[in-house]
C-alpha cells in the first residue's frame, strides 16, 4: 500500500513535472521565435550598415577619384595657365635701335610657336615697344618693325599669319619707368596679347 | 662863345659814341641787319603805363598790361629789356606822347627803343594807347590805340607786340600764332591748343587714348594728328571749330602727318604695304602718290616752306638719318652725317636751316644744320640739360619751341632763340607736355 502511495506521489510529481515541463517547453518555443525575429532584424541592420559603409566607402573612393581628377585637371590647368602666363609675359627683347632677333629671342619664339600650335583657338596681337631714348615718331616706326620681325619669324615656324596682328606702341607704354639701362632693356620688347 | 662850342663838341662826341655801335638807325626799319640778332639784342625801355584819367583801376590794368608786354616781347628773341632801376624819366607822370618825351633820358641809359603806354578805363571799356619810339632818331615807329573789354587787354598787348615785331623786322612774329601740343590727362595723351605762349590751353581731343604728333594746316583751320582711339595708330584730320574731318586708317600704322604749305595736301608715313613709306594724301585721306621707295623705316616728313621739297627720316643707311627729297626732280640728298641717330627734322621758315634731334653719347639734344652752305658741322642748340626733343620753329624763324626733361618732370615745353640762347620753360600745366608746334600767324578778328 505504501508502495502504491509512493508510486502515486511519484506519478503526481512526474505529471506535475510534465506539466511544468510542457509549459516550459511551450514558453521556450515562443521565446525562440522572437529571437529569430530579432536576429533577422539585426542581420538586416547589419547588412544595411554594411551597405552604407560600402556606399560611404564608395563615395569616399569616388570623392578621392574626383579629387584626384580635379587635382589633375587643376594641375593641368595650372600647367596650361603657367604656359600661357609664360607666353604672355616672357617678352622678346631687342638691342637699342634694332629690330633684329637675337639668339635668345629666337629660342623664346620657338617656345611661343609651340604654344601657339598647342593652343590653336587663340589669335594674338604682337605689340612692338621701344625704350624712351630716341624720338617719339621714329620709335613708333621702330616698334612696328620689332613686332613685324617677330610675326615673320613665327610665320616661318608655321604659325598662320591670320592668327597674328601687330601694333606698335613706340615708347608710349614702358614696362619700367626707370631711366637706366636696366629699365631701357626691359622696355625694348615685343610682347604678346591674346585677342 | 668858345666855351659853348667846346661843350657842344663834347656833346656831339658823346652822342656819336653812344650812337655808333649796335645801331638800328643805319638800316631802314623793316629789317635788323645784325648777323646774330639773338646774341646782340636791341635794348628797349618799358616804363610804367600812364593812368589817363588817374583812376586806381587804370593803374591796376596798366601794371598787368606792362607785365604782359614784358613777357610778350621776350618772344621776339631780339629785344633786351633795360633794367627799370636805371630809368631817368617816368612817362606815367610826365606824359606818353612824343612831344612829352625827352629822348636823351632814354639814350642816356642805352635804350635804343622805348614803348610808352596809356590806359583809360570807362564804362567797362578799356582804351590802350601804345607807342614805340626810336630814341636815337626821335621817331615814332608805331602808334596804336586799342579799345575793348578788360579781358581783352592781353590780346591788345599781343597785337601791339606783333606791330613792334613787324616795325622792326618786317615779320609779325609769333604773337598771332597758336600752339598745339600733347599733354597727359589721367594717364592718356590728348591734343591741346593754346595761345602762342602756352596761355589758355584748351583740350582738343577726348579720345582717352594715346594721341600724338599734332600738325597745323597752313591756314590754321585744321589739325592732323595720330591717335590710338581705334586700337592702333591712325591719322585723324579735324577742323578746329567745325565738326568736320576724316580718318586715315589703312592697315598697319598711319603716322607722322605734315601739311604741305598752302595746300590741302598731307604727307604721312603709312605701312599698309608692309613697309613704312611716305605718301602724299588729300585732306580726305585719298592717296595722291608714293614719295619714298626704300626698304626700312621712312617717317617724319616735313615740307620745305615753298612746298617743293620734303625732309624725312630714314634708316636706309643703317642708322636713322635725315634726308631731303626734291619733289620735282625726285633727287634724294642726305642731310645729316654726324652721329648715329638723327631724327625729327624741322624746317626753318626761310628754308635755309633744319633743326633736328640727335643722340650723342646717350644724350638727346637739338641740333641745327645750315642747308645753303653745303654739308657743314651741325650746331648744337641744347646741351647738358636733360633730354631735348621735338623742335619746331616760330613762324618768323626767330624761336624754336621744344620738349625738355631738364626740370625732372619727364617732359615740358621750352622755348629758345634760333641760336639756342634764352632757353626757358613756356607753361606750367599738370602732367607731361610734348610735341609742341606753332601755327602760322592767324589774323586777329579785332
Amino acid at each position: 500500500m505504501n508502495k502504491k502511495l509512493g508510486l502515486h506521489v511519484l506519478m503526481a510529481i512526474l505529471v506535475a513535472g510534465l506539466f511544468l515541463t510542457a509549459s516550459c517547453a511551450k514558453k521556450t518555443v515562443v521565446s525562440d521565435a522572437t529571437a529569430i525575429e530579432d536576429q533577422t532584424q539585426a542581420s538586416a541592420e547589419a547588412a544595411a550598415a554594411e551597405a552604407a559603409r560600402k556606399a560611404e566607402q564608395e563615395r569616399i573612393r569616388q570623392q578621392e577619384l574626383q579629387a584626384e581628377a580635379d587635382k589633375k585637371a587643376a594641375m593641368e590647368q595650372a600647367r596650361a595657365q603657367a604656359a600661357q602666363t609664360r607666353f604672355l609675359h616672357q617678352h622678346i627683347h631687342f638691342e637699342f635701335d634694332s629690330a633684329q632677333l637675337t639668339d635668345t629671342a629666337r629660342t623664346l619664339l620657338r617656345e611661343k610657336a609651340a604654344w601657339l600650335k598647342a593652343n590653336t583657338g587663340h589669335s594674338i596681337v604682337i605689340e612692338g615697344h621701344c625704350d624712351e631714348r630716341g624720338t617719339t615718331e621714329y620709335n613708333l616706326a621702330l616698334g612696328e618693325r620689332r613686332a613685324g620681325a617677330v610675326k615673320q619669324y613665327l610665320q616661318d615656324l608655321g604659325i598662320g599669319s591670320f592668327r597674328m596682328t601687330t601694333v606698335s606702341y613706340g615708347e608710349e607704354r614702358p614696362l619700367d619707368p626707370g631711366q637706366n639701362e636696366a629699365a631701357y632693356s626691359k622696355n625694348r620688347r615685343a610682347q604678346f596679347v591674346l585677342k | 662863345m668858345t666855351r659853348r662850342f667846346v661843350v657842344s663838341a663834347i656833346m656831339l662826341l658823346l652822342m656819336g659814341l653812344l650812337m655808333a655801335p649796335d645801331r638800328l638807325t643805319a638800316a631802314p626799319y623793316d629789317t635788323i641787319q645784325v648777323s646774330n640778332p639773338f646774341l646782340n639784342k636791341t635794348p628797349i625801355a618799358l616804363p610804367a603805363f600812364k593812368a589817363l584819367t588817374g583812376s586806381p583801376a587804370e593803374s591796376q590794368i596798366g601794371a598787368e598790361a606792362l607785365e604782359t608786354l614784358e613777357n610778350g616781347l621776350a618772344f621776339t628773341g631780339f629785344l633786351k629789356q633795360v633794367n627799370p632801376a636805371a630809368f631817368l624819366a617816368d612817362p606815367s607822370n610826365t606824359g606818353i606822347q612824343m612831344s612829352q618825351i625827352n629822348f636823351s633820358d632814354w639814350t642816356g641809359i642805352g635804350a635804343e627803343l622805348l614803348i610808352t603806354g596809356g590806359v583809360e578805363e570807362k564804362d567797362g571799356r578799356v582804351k590802350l594807347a601804345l607807342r614805340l619810339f626810336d630814341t636815337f632818331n626821335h621817331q615814332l615807329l608805331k602808334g596804336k590805340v586799342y579799345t575793348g573789354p578788360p579781358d581783352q587787354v592781353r590780346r591788345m598787348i599781343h597785337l601791339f607786340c606783333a606791330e613792334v615785331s613787324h616795325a622792326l623786322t618786317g615779320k609779325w612774329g609769333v604773337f598771332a600764332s597758336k600752339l598745339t601740343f600733347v599733354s597727359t590727362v589721367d594717364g592718356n595723351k590728348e591734343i591741346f591748343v593754346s595761345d602762342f605762349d602756352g596761355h589758355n590751353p584748351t583740350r582738343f581731343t577726348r579720345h582717352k587714348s594715346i594721341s600724338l604728333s599734332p600738325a597745323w594746316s597752313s591756314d590754321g583751320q585744321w589739325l592732323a594728328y595720330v591717335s590710338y582711339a581705334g586700337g592702333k595708330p591712325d591719322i585723324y584730320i579735324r577742323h578746329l571749330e567745325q565738326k568736320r574731318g576724316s580718318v586715315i586708317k589703312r592697315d598697319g600704322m598711319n603716322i607722322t602727318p605734315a601739311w604741305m604749305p598752302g595746300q590741302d595736301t598731307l604727307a604721312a608715313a603709312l605701312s599698309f604695304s608692309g613697309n613704312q613709306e611716305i605718301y602724299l594724301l588729300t585732306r580726305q585721306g585719298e592717296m595722291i602718290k608714293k614719295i619714298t621707295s626704300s626698304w626700312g623705316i621712312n617717317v617724319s616728313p616735313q615740307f620745305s616752306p615753298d612746298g617743293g621739297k620734303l625732309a624725312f627720316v630714314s634708316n636706309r643707311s643703317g642708322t636713322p638719318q635725315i634726308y631731303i627729297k626734291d619733289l620735282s626732280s625726285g633727287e634724294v640728298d642726305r642731310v645729316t652725317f654726324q652721329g648715329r641717330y638723327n631724327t625729327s627734322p624741322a624746317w626753318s621758315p626761310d628754308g635755309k636751316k633744319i633743326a633736328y634731334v640727335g643722340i650723342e653719347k646717350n644724350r638727346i639734344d637739338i641740333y641745327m644744320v645750315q642747308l645753303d652752305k653745303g654739308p657743314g658741322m651741325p650746331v648744337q642748340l641744347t646741351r647738358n640739360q636733360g633730354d631735348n626733343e621735338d623742335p619746331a620753329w616760330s613762324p618768323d624763324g626767330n624761336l624754336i619751341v621744344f620738349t625738355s626733361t631738364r626740370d625732372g618732370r619727364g617732359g615740358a615745353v621750352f622755348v629758345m632763340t634760333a641760336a639756342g640762347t634764352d632757353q626757358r620753360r613756356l607753361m606750367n600745366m599738370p602732367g607731361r607736355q610734348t610735341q609742341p608746334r606753332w601755327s602760322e600767324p592767324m589774323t586777329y578778328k579785332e
Side-chain angles (χ1 to χ4, degrees), chain B residues 8-46:
Chain B
S8 301
I10 290 171
M11 282 294 288
L12 272 171
L13 200 72
L14 276 172
M15 274 187 78
L17 279 173
L18 279 167
M19 287 164 79
D22 302 327
R23 277 199 39 205
L24 284 166
T25 45
Y29 276 103
D30 55 353
T31 50
I32 290 182
Q33 304 283 359
V34 186
S35 61
N36 189 342
F38 313 116
L39 299 177
N40 200 358
K41 297 184 182 195
T42 306
I44 185 168
L46 305 173

Side-chain angles (χ1 to χ4, degrees), chain A residues 96-97 132-142 144-145 166-173 179 184, chain B residues 189 210 212-213 228 253 256 271 275-276 295-297 299-300 313 315 320 341 343-344 357 359 362 364 389:
Chain A
F96 176 68
D97 188 31
E132 65 168 46
R133 292 171 308 160
T135 43
T136 304
E137 296 183 348
Y138 187 80
N139 275 339
L140 284 178
L142 180 62
E144 188 182 53
R145 297 206 86 80
T166 61
V167 63
S168 170
Y169 282 98
E171 61 183 76
E172 302 299 323
R173 295 268 186 269
Q179 293 182 310
Y184 297 150
Chain B
K189 283 189 171 179
I210 307 168
L212 301 167
S213 305
Y228 282 70
M253 57 197 246
T256 62
S271 69
N275 196 50
Q276 296 148 344
W295 181 253
I297 295 174
V299 285
S300 303
V313 175
N315 68 347
Y341 196 109
T343 59
S344 302
V357 174
I359 303 183
N362 270 334
I364 308 179
E389 294 184 37

Side-chain angles (χ1 to χ4, degrees), chain B residues 234-426:
Chain B
D234 295 319
I235 294 173
Y236 291 70
I237 302 162
R238 278 179 51 191
H239 194 275
L240 225 60
E241 277 142 23
Q242 303 157 7
K243 282 200 181 299
R244 294 162 62 196
S246 51
V247 185
I248 301 173
K249 46 179 178 185
R250 291 168 188 269
D251 284 352
M253 57 197 246
N254 304 277
I255 59 167
T256 62
W259 296 83
M260 185 183 262
Q263 304 288 323
D264 268 352
T265 303
L266 295 116
L270 315 179
S271 69
F272 65 88
S273 73
N275 196 50
Q276 296 148 344
E277 305 281 12
I278 292 165
Y279 299 85
L280 280 190
L281 304 147
T282 67
R283 198 178 66 207
Q284 289 73 37
E286 291 146 5
M287 183 70 60
I288 298 173
K289 70 172 182 179
K290 191 177 177 188
I291 300 293
T292 60
S293 276
S294 157
W295 181 253
I297 295 174
N298 297 284
V299 285
S300 303
Q302 286 286 305
F303 285 98
S304 61
D306 64 5
K309 292 176 179 173
L310 198 68
F312 61 97
V313 175
S314 175
N315 68 347
R316 59 190 63 185
S317 67
T319 58
Q321 300 292 343
I322 295 165
Y323 295 80
I324 290 177
K325 177 156 184 159
D326 188 310
L327 292 176
S328 49
S329 75
E331 199 177 311
V332 177
D333 286 320
R334 182 168 164 180
V335 174
T336 51
F337 293 92
Q338 309 277 328
R340 296 180 49 78
Y341 196 109
N342 296 304
T343 59
S344 302
W347 219 310
S348 68
D350 65 5
K352 292 177 180 168
K353 296 171 282 255
I354 283 183
Y356 62 94
V357 174
I359 303 183
E360 282 283 359
K361 297 186 180 113
N362 270 334
R363 302 202 75 110
I364 308 179
D365 278 304
I366 294 168
Y367 295 79
M368 186 165 66
V369 279
Q370 200 87 19
L371 296 174
D372 53 350
K373 291 174 182 160
M377 284 292 285
V379 179
Q380 187 173 350
L381 299 182
T382 60
R383 196 186 296 272
N384 296 334
Q385 292 193 79
D387 289 341
N388 302 280
E389 294 184 37
D390 307 328
W393 295 79
S394 61
D396 61 358
N398 284 345
L399 303 174
I400 292 173
V401 68
F402 61 103
T403 305
S404 181
T405 61
R406 66 187 60 177
D407 61 0
R409 294 190 333 136
V413 175
F414 281 71
V415 67
M416 61 182 162
T417 68
T421 62
D422 304 280
Q423 300 189 7
R424 62 197 171 93
R425 174 105 170 260
L426 205 54

Side-chain angles (χ1 to χ4, degrees), chain B residues 24 41-47 66 69-70 72-74 76 78-84 87 106 109-116 131-136 141 160-161 164-165 168:
Chain B
L24 284 166
K41 297 184 182 195
T42 306
I44 185 168
L46 305 173
L66 180 62
L69 181 67
E70 289 165 349
L73 289 178
T76 62
F78 56 80
L79 294 173
K80 175 173 68 191
Q81 288 160 32
V82 176
N83 185 350
F87 293 173
W106 302 104
I109 59 168
E112 296 178 19
L113 297 166
L114 166 71
I115 291 176
T116 64
R131 292 177 175 83
L132 169 68
F133 297 102
D134 168 359
T135 55
F136 280 90
L141 298 177
F160 191 69
C161 286
V164 169
S165 176
L168 299 175

